[in-house]
Amino acid sequence: MGREFAVLQYSCGPTVYDHAHLGHACSYVRFDILRRLLTKVFGCSVVMVMGITDVDDKIIRRASEMDISPAALARLYEEDFKQDMAALKVLPPTVSLRVTETIPQIVSFIQGIMARGHAYATERGNVYFDLRSRGDTYGKLVGVAPCVAAEAVDTDKRYAGDFALWKAAKPGEVSWASPWGRGRPGWHIECSTIASAVFGSQLDVHSGGIDLAFPHHENEIAQCEAFHQCAQWGNYFLHAGHLHVKGQEQKMSKSLKNYITIKDFLRSFSPDVFRLFCLRSSYRSAVDYSDSTMLEAGHVLRRLASFVEDARAYMRGQLAGGPVSEAELWDRLSSTQRTVRTALADDFDTPRAVDAILDLVHLGNRQLRVATEGPGGPRSPAVLGAVVAYVEQFFETVGLSLASRQCVPGDGSAAALHSVVDELVRFRLKVRQFALDTGTATGDARREQLRERQPLLDACDALRQDLAARGISIKDRSSAASTWELLDPRTMLQKPEG
């Protein structure tokens, strides 16, 4: 495989001073979806590098409040972040690098920028990037001119828009030795150095939240193009839109105290529900979060899983009825595949792709209803099998599972649980069949048999209700067949009482 099939991607990682929240999750899940599409749909090998900011003002301040070292705090929340990403099914980066482990490379990178005339050191031990040395090339990412706002009185910058590459240490702060005295890196230089340490002077894709476009990504471009002496360092900058709390104009953030941690969210909803929620909007767009939007995503997910289970039941002969309209389904499947491919090639238009698949599923459900309500006749399971295979393949590609029988968290064996439920459903079916089978009895004799056996049917119904409360849904397909599916209880809509 040639270099043209490899995608070199850098992702701005977290500043690890607290729990990650849903605003972070939205960005990382969206880019995880894009990464999977690049790999599985477009055949690219994505090499992703992520930088972990494990030293900065927030970390130092929080560590002081908790009376632990900044390093201990950073390791704690870095591990917490990784666990959250795993819970959300976000693929890990190819490699991640911590800022504190790349200090020598950062110092060398700063020295290289200075040697090329684009940075200067001050008597206080700070090093700043000289924006005026960039001329009119600064601001090309977002079209923003250098900032000339008033600075603090004690600034030692030459120009208001210059930004820090190296910060002189304050008393008691964690610091490292450098040619300019003890200090620590500025924020922007960290990502430039880490990306360059792995990829050199050329980067295909840089991803991050829209709030990072300026000044963070703009400053990264200035630093890297100054260091590498190149006209264009990064080819594509992908920015995820903010997650807003519905009814509020502000993004979800810790500073506004309007955030929901990933762990708290996952107590109520599944990672698949959140992933479907992310799929239904452009990765670039701002999106509103509310319980109702998550419940709607859960409803859509259950409709998809239910169609897959019903179509399989038809294929197995567990649904009574005749044929479906094969020609119409084959044509719709083919047109859906073309629509999805075109949508994904158009800046990863996942909302359009998902809508096309939901339309296909809607048609499949309609055909199944017609087949089961009509008279028996020749069956046509192959086309439904093809639809199910395509629908499952698409959602598997973007990291979302439609499997109705999923593993249950805990110490028990999922395979053993599966077998136990299978046996329970089979036993219930035999009891139900006995209760409904009146043989040759007719008239009053048949009614009397059914009356005597009603407690058995009541017990079957009670068992189904009890299992449904535990996330196991039994469907009586006919008097001769019953199936079951395991639903994630976090995706279940609560029906109003009464």
Side-chain angles (χ1 to χ4, degrees):
M1 180 178 288
R3 164 67 175 90
E4 65 271 18
F5 295 106
V7 174
L8 311 181
Q9 179 177 353
Y10 180 80
S11 170
C12 288
T15 300
V16 284
Y17 72 99
D18 203 347
H19 298 290
H21 59 64
L22 277 192
H24 303 127
C26 190
S27 178
Y28 287 114
V29 168
R30 282 170 154 180
F31 287 126
D32 181 71
I33 291 168
L34 268 55
R35 179 183 177 187
R36 291 171 183 264
L37 291 172
L38 281 171
T39 302
K40 298 183 180 181
V41 175
F42 299 108
C44 299
S45 294
V46 179
V47 183
M48 177 186 279
V49 172
M50 178 180 287
I52 306 292
T53 299
D54 59 344
V55 60
D56 89 327
D57 291 339
K58 293 176 182 177
I59 293 173
I60 293 171
R61 184 167 54 250
R62 185 75 186 277
S64 176
E65 292 170 357
M66 297 175 64
D67 196 25
I68 60 175
S69 71
L73 178 83
R75 293 296 179 273
L76 171 68
Y77 285 113
E78 180 184 344
E79 182 59 31
D80 188 77
F81 170 79
K82 290 178 179 178
Q83 290 175 4
D84 283 343
M85 291 301 102
L88 290 168
K89 302 200 287 189
V90 173
L91 298 172
T94 310
V95 66
S96 61
L97 291 169
R98 303 183 183 105
V99 169
T100 57
E101 295 174 340
T102 55
I103 298 297
Q105 294 95 318
I106 292 173
V107 170
S108 295
F109 203 87
I110 295 172
Q111 288 176 311
I113 294 175
M114 294 179 72
R116 293 161 179 78
H118 293 282
Y120 59 90
T122 69
E123 291 183 357
R124 299 183 189 177
N126 296 306
V127 180
Y128 295 101
F129 189 92
D130 184 357
L131 273 190
R132 287 175 293 185
S133 71
R134 289 282 290 168
D136 59 2
T137 60
Y138 183 80
K140 63 182 180 179
L141 179 64
V142 293
V144 176
C147 172
V148 292
E151 291 289 321
V153 176
D154 64 348
T155 183
D156 56 347
K157 298 179 182 180
R158 292 179 184 171
Y159 177 68
D162 295 348
F163 56 88
L165 303 181
W166 187 261
K167 297 179 179 181
K170 296 176 183 177
E173 278 190 351
V174 58
S175 62
W176 290 265
S178 82
W180 319 287
R182 295 196 67 83
R184 55 188 172 88
W187 177 34
H188 312 300
I189 198 66
E190 301 168 358
C191 291
S192 292
T193 301
I194 291 172
S196 296
V198 180
F199 297 131
S201 61
Q202 193 67 55
L203 182 67
D204 294 320
V205 175
H206 196 314
S207 59
I210 186 62
D211 54 321
L212 299 181
F214 186 87
H216 185 51
H217 291 169
E218 195 73 67
N219 290 350
E220 282 188 67
I221 292 172
Q223 293 166 156
C224 287
E225 291 181 358
F227 179 86
H228 296 297
Q229 298 289 282
C230 62
Q232 180 170 304
W233 167 62
N235 292 331
Y236 296 95
F237 282 78
L238 305 183
H239 296 117
H242 284 149
L243 182 70
H244 293 257
V245 178
K246 194 167 186 179
Q248 299 182 17
E249 294 183 2
Q250 303 98 333
K251 68 172 182 176
M252 185 178 287
S253 71
K254 289 190 173 71
S255 60
L256 296 173
K257 301 187 186 303
N258 64 348
Y259 66 92
I260 301 166
T261 68
I262 294 170
K263 288 178 175 56
D264 284 343
F265 172 82
L266 291 176
R267 292 188 180 97
S268 301
F269 299 99
S270 75
D272 285 334
V273 165
F274 188 74
R275 189 164 286 251
L276 183 61
F277 166 77
C278 291
L279 279 165
R280 302 198 74 188
S281 63
S282 166
Y283 75 92
R284 294 183 183 274
S285 67
V287 61
D288 284 343
Y289 166 85
S290 68
D291 282 352
S292 62
T293 56
M294 290 301 156
L295 290 171
E296 171 60 21
H299 177 66
V300 173
L301 186 59
R302 284 195 311 283
R303 276 197 289 128
L304 287 165
S306 180
F307 164 72
V308 168
E309 190 66 23
D310 288 347
R312 285 206 173 100
Y314 177 88
M315 294 170 65
R316 290 191 293 260
Q318 294 174 324
L319 287 182
V324 297
S325 176
E326 289 192 66
E328 184 179 8
L329 276 172
W330 282 120
D331 287 346
R332 178 62 67 84
L333 175 59
S334 180
S335 65
T336 299
Q337 290 171 327
R338 290 193 300 270
T339 298
V340 168
R341 178 81 183 193
T342 301
L344 297 180
D346 182 15
D347 195 23
F348 307 102
D349 190 350
T350 57
R352 184 181 171 202
V354 171
D355 284 346
I357 289 174
L358 290 177
D359 286 344
L360 172 65
V361 168
H362 180 69
L363 175 63
N365 273 324
R366 195 164 68 242
Q367 292 282 352
L368 280 172
R369 280 197 300 274
V370 171
T372 55
E373 291 170 2
R379 300 174 57 76
S380 41
V383 65
L384 280 168
V387 171
V388 166
Y390 177 70
V391 171
E392 286 196 310
Q393 179 190 26
F394 172 82
F395 286 107
E396 180 185 342
T397 294
V398 294
L400 193 153
S401 173
L402 297 183
S404 59
R405 299 176 183 181
Q406 301 175 24
C407 295
V408 175
D411 296 330
S413 163
L417 174 63
H418 188 128
S419 299
V420 168
V421 177
D422 274 343
E423 290 298 330
L424 186 60
V425 170
R426 276 195 287 269
F427 176 77
R428 177 184 172 277
L429 177 61
K430 289 180 180 179
V431 173
R432 187 168 176 272
Q433 286 174 326
F434 171 76
L436 293 173
D437 183 11
T438 57
T440 58
T442 59
D444 290 342
R446 181 177 183 277
R447 283 190 289 274
E448 178 62 21
Q449 279 190 13
L450 290 174
R451 186 187 66 78
E452 291 176 351
R453 297 176 185 181
Q454 186 59 43
L456 294 176
L457 292 174
D458 292 343
C460 289
D461 288 341
L463 176 60
R464 180 170 59 183
Q465 291 169 3
D466 289 344
L467 291 177
R470 291 163 174 78
I472 297 172
S473 174
I474 298 177
K475 293 185 178 181
D476 294 317
R477 303 292 184 178
S478 66
S479 61
S482 296
T483 62
W484 69 275
E485 56 189 271
L486 181 60
L487 303 175
D488 189 324
R490 294 171 297 184
T491 70
M492 297 173 66
L493 281 171
Q494 296 298 317
K495 294 182 180 179
E497 295 181 0

